[in-house]
């Protein structure tokens, strides 16, 4: 599924498309709708970079067992042992 955001909406936000997308990703992460791994991936950032970004906003990393499992799986899929 693709989400189309109108140019009018982007203009009204007074943000670039990239910044607006990051805001959406951060909001979904903060509401625990997506994991740290997924949020970092969608934002096109390394997890540490994404963590710095949310920390600068005063958002805590909620990191549970499921996120840990996702991270381990991601690392294994990318050749880390």
């Amino acid at each position: 599924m693709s989400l189309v955001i109108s140019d009018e909406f982007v203009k009204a936000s007074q943000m670039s498309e990239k910044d607006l997308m990051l805001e959406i990703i951060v909001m979904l992460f903060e509401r625990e709708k997506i994991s740290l791994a997924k949020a970092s991936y969608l934002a096109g950032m390394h997890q540490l970079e994404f963590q710095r970004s949310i920390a600068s906003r005063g958002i805590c990393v909620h990191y549970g067992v499921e996120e840990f499992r996702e991270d381990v799986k991601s690392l294994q899929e990318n050749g880390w042992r």
Side-chain angles (χ1 to χ4, degrees):
M1 178 176 135
S2 295
L3 175 64
V4 177
I5 300 174
S6 71
D7 290 337
E8 182 180 351
F9 187 83
V10 175
K11 271 187 186 178
S13 74
Q14 298 180 346
M15 303 172 85
S16 70
E17 288 179 38
K18 182 179 177 182
D19 289 342
L20 182 56
M21 182 60 75
L22 181 58
E23 290 299 315
I24 293 168
I25 293 166
V26 168
M27 183 261 317
L28 290 171
F29 174 78
E30 187 174 24
R31 293 182 181 191
E32 300 187 26
K33 300 297 181 185
I34 57 175
S35 68
L36 177 65
K38 181 58 80 175
S40 301
Y41 171 78
L42 292 172
M45 298 178 173
H46 186 277
Q47 283 190 21
L48 291 176
E49 183 183 6
F50 186 77
Q51 286 177 357
R52 282 192 282 276
S53 176
I54 61 173
S56 72
R57 300 163 184 253
I59 299 170
C60 295
V61 175
H62 44 84
Y63 194 78
V65 173
E66 189 57 38
E67 286 85 9
F68 174 75
R69 288 183 180 139
E70 276 188 46
D71 287 345
V72 169
K73 181 180 175 188
S74 176
L75 288 170
Q76 289 171 340
E77 288 171 355
N78 290 299
W80 289 82
R81 302 233 173 219

